[in-house]
């Protein structure tokens, strides 16, 4: 929180603890651990930690070690999602009386801001005491807008907390958060002080926040573990100026995507879902600007997954995209064609049918190459150019299975 935005918070130490942490070494480096009462809790992307018995307050360091070792690596279930606890955070215990709740959530047409004077782990049971407002996009958060949120507070702290909400909202906008929740925050010497904070940044705003965010790594959602294939493409994407994305949705799916462009990839995926076949989607993929070698590596991964464990039923592969402006479609297809030739026997054994729709520079050459490789390999391939609607091959793929 930046003082320039009207929020001044006491600085304190916060230490992350994982399976690799040596507590003896940690204590030698952070002497304050032996003299302060402590709080320990998971530092992961899930809520309801207190109700799940995963938050401990007012402990000494020996008790923290015992608490962490007992739970680190333990698999838990939170709202239907299972996963291991991999990271805890240790911080000084702050004695307090009041507990307040504040949440800001970005919506399509603005932001909802919620506040309660009854924060803490029982916030859901006390939801009738939460006040909320909706602030349209580009509107200013004025004292008049904030007033309904804090109307029930004692007059002597109303202004201080109102200014705090205003400052938090300024940070929310400045750093492109999509969600922030402080539950609870309290008052220390009359100043607002967050005791627990959860925030979600808009990853798509990274291009303009490089200096503000610093070396920020977006963690996976709780319970989400990258498959070897996903990890390979993720690491490949980190080493290139191209964009390469691959998410394995259903290893037993019968409709697979190899689609150019993030927007087109979403449209193809949504179309298959809208047609009632979301459960058959094997993957989500998008690519932009890859070299032939990079496209070859991405295509290999997709084909390996699409042809795994053949069961006699037909499967479909969508090779689609919008009409490119600059990308040489023919050159992009060269990497795909090399992968198809490598996987000839697997494609035939898995009964794969390929549906191609593409437009843009050199698209006629690319489509002709795809048609020819299908004939060469004995794999059914249907090709369509920009005269066909972009998502038309989705219908053909569904009919094909």
């Amino acid at each position: 929180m930046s003082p320039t935005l009207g929020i001044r918070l006491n600085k304190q130490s916060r230490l992350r603890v994982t399976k690799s942490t040596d507590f003896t070494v940690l204590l030698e480096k952070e002497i304050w651990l032996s003299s302060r009462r402590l709080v320990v809790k998971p530092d992961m992307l899930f809520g309801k930690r207190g109700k799940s018995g995963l938050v401990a307050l007012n402990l000494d360091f020996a008790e923290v070690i015992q608490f962490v070792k007992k739970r680190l690596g333990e698999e838990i279930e939170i709202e239907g999602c299972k996963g291991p606890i991999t990271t805890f955070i240790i911080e000084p215990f702050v004695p307090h009386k009041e507990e307040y709740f504040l949440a800001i959530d970005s919506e399509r047409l603005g932001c909802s801001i919620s506040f309660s004077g009854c924060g803490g782990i029982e916030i859901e049971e006390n939801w009738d005491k939460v006040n909320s407002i909706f602030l349209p996009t580009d509107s200013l958060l004025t004292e008049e807008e904030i007033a309904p949120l804090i109307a029930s507070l004692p007059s002597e702290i109303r202004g201080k907390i109102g200014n705090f909400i205003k400052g938090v909202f300024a940070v929310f906008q400045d750093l492109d958060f999509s969600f922030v929740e402080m539950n609870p925050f309290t008052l220390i010497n009359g100043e607002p002080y967050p005791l627990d904070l959860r925030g979600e940044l808009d990853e798509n705003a990274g291009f303009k926040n490089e200096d503000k965010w610093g070396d920020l790594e977006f963690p996976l959602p709780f319970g989400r573990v990258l498959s070897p294939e996903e990890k390979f493409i993720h690491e490949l994407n980190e080493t290139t100026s191209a964009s390469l994305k691959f998410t394995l949705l259903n290893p037993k799916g019968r409709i697979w995507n190899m689609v150019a462009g993030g927007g087109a990839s979403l449209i193809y995926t949504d179309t298959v879902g809208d047609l009632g076949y979301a459960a058959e989607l094997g993957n989500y993929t998008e690519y932009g600007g890859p070299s032939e070698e990079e496209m070859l590596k991405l295509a290999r991964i997709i084909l390996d997954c699409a042809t795994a464990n053949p069961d006699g039923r037909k499967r479909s592969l969508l090779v689609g995209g919008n009409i490119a402006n600059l990308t040489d479609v023919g050159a992009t297809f060269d990497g795909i064609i090399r992968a198809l030739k490598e996987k000839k026997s697997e494609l035939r054994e898995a009964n794969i049918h390929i549906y191609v729709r593409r437009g843009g520079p050199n698209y006629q050459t690319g489509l002709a190459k795809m048609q020819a490789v299908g004939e060469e390999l004995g794999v059914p391939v249907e090709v369509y150019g920009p005269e066909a609607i972009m998502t038309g091959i989705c219908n053909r793929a569904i009919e094909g299975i």
Side-chain angles (χ1 to χ4, degrees):
M1 297 296 183
S2 170
T4 62
L5 293 172
I7 305 175
R8 300 179 184 274
L9 300 178
N10 296 328
K11 292 183 180 180
Q12 64 179 25
S13 299
R14 293 175 176 86
L15 304 174
R16 298 182 74 205
V17 175
T18 65
K19 187 177 181 180
S20 62
T21 299
D22 185 319
F23 287 100
T24 301
V25 173
L26 183 64
L27 183 58
E28 291 174 354
K29 291 182 177 179
E30 306 290 343
I31 302 175
W32 61 270
L33 289 170
S34 62
S35 60
R36 298 285 300 271
R37 303 301 292 180
L38 305 169
V39 174
V40 60
K41 55 193 174 185
D43 185 28
M44 300 179 66
L45 295 179
F46 61 84
K48 299 184 178 180
R49 293 169 294 177
K51 287 194 171 183
S52 301
L54 298 174
V55 177
L57 310 174
N58 200 16
L59 304 183
D60 62 27
F61 188 55
E63 291 171 324
V64 166
I65 295 174
Q66 183 180 8
F67 184 90
V68 170
K69 286 186 174 181
K70 182 178 179 180
R71 292 163 179 81
L72 199 59
E74 177 187 355
E75 184 175 273
I76 61 171
E77 181 173 345
I78 302 291
E79 296 181 340
C81 186
K82 294 182 179 180
I85 304 175
T86 60
T87 310
F88 280 91
I89 188 170
I90 305 172
E91 58 190 15
F93 173 68
V94 179
H96 61 279
K97 294 181 180 179
E98 305 90 352
E99 291 192 338
Y100 305 100
F101 168 85
L102 175 64
I104 306 175
D105 193 6
S106 178
E107 300 180 10
R108 184 176 181 83
L109 299 177
C111 290
S112 64
I113 305 175
S114 300
F115 172 81
S116 175
C118 298
I121 64 173
E122 303 297 334
I123 185 64
E124 292 182 353
E125 288 77 5
N126 291 304
W127 200 252
D128 59 325
K129 298 177 183 177
V130 175
N131 296 319
S132 299
I133 63 170
F134 179 79
L135 190 70
T137 301
D138 293 332
S139 296
L140 296 176
L141 184 59
T142 63
E143 291 182 5
E144 290 74 19
E145 295 284 353
I146 294 174
L149 296 175
I150 58 176
S152 61
L153 292 177
S155 58
E156 60 269 21
I157 64 171
R158 207 176 294 161
K160 180 69 69 174
I161 290 184
N163 288 336
F164 180 68
I165 294 172
K166 191 174 181 179
V168 172
F169 184 70
V171 174
F172 182 92
Q173 291 185 306
D174 182 62
L175 295 182
D176 286 292
F177 277 92
S178 58
F179 178 78
V180 161
E181 179 184 277
M182 296 182 185
N183 186 35
F185 75 90
T186 190
L187 295 175
I188 301 297
N189 298 323
E191 297 294 328
Y193 192 103
L195 296 172
D196 195 63
L197 185 148
R198 180 164 67 99
E200 298 175 9
L201 290 166
D202 181 356
E203 185 178 8
N204 295 307
F207 72 96
K208 65 173 185 173
N209 286 300
E210 184 174 347
D211 292 337
K212 296 177 183 177
W213 289 359
D215 188 16
L216 183 66
E217 180 180 347
F218 284 86
L220 292 171
F222 172 68
R224 178 84 164 86
V225 179
L226 290 180
S227 67
E229 296 84 3
E230 290 170 322
K231 186 175 181 180
F232 177 83
I233 297 301
H234 176 75
E235 292 175 350
L236 180 62
N237 184 62
E238 293 295 305
T239 63
T240 176
S241 60
S243 175
L244 303 169
K245 303 289 191 298
F246 175 78
T247 302
L248 186 61
L249 301 176
N250 177 12
K252 297 181 181 180
R254 293 192 292 151
I255 299 176
W256 295 80
N257 287 311
M258 196 183 299
V259 180
S265 299
L266 290 172
I267 291 172
Y268 276 89
T269 302
D270 286 347
T271 299
V272 173
D274 289 343
L275 293 172
Y277 282 79
E280 291 291 354
L281 278 169
N283 70 310
Y284 172 82
T285 297
E286 63 179 77
Y287 66 86
S291 67
E292 181 179 328
E293 288 300 319
E294 290 166 343
M295 193 65 234
L296 170 64
K297 292 176 181 178
L298 175 62
R300 280 173 177 160
I301 290 293
I302 296 171
L303 294 179
D304 282 341
C305 293
T307 59
N309 303 312
D311 56 9
R313 299 185 298 168
K314 292 181 180 178
R315 304 180 187 185
S316 295
L317 173 65
L318 298 169
V319 181
N322 206 335
I323 300 174
N325 292 318
L326 301 174
T327 302
D328 186 328
V329 174
T332 300
F333 279 175
D334 285 342
I336 297 175
I337 288 169
R338 286 172 61 189
L340 291 173
K341 288 182 176 180
E342 289 180 5
K343 306 296 179 182
K344 173 182 176 179
S345 59
E346 291 91 338
L347 289 167
R348 296 178 65 173
E349 188 175 358
N351 204 2
I352 291 279
H353 290 226
I354 303 173
Y355 302 88
V356 184
R357 189 274 186 186
R358 200 73 165 96
N362 207 20
Y363 83 89
Q364 297 97 333
T365 300
L367 294 180
K369 289 179 178 178
M370 291 294 289
Q371 187 72 69
V373 77
E375 295 171 359
E376 176 186 338
L377 301 179
V379 175
V381 176
E382 295 183 17
V383 300
Y384 302 90
E387 75 283 350
I389 64 171
M390 188 171 73
T391 55
I393 59 173
C394 294
N395 288 296
R396 296 291 299 130
I398 290 171
E399 292 169 0
I401 63 170

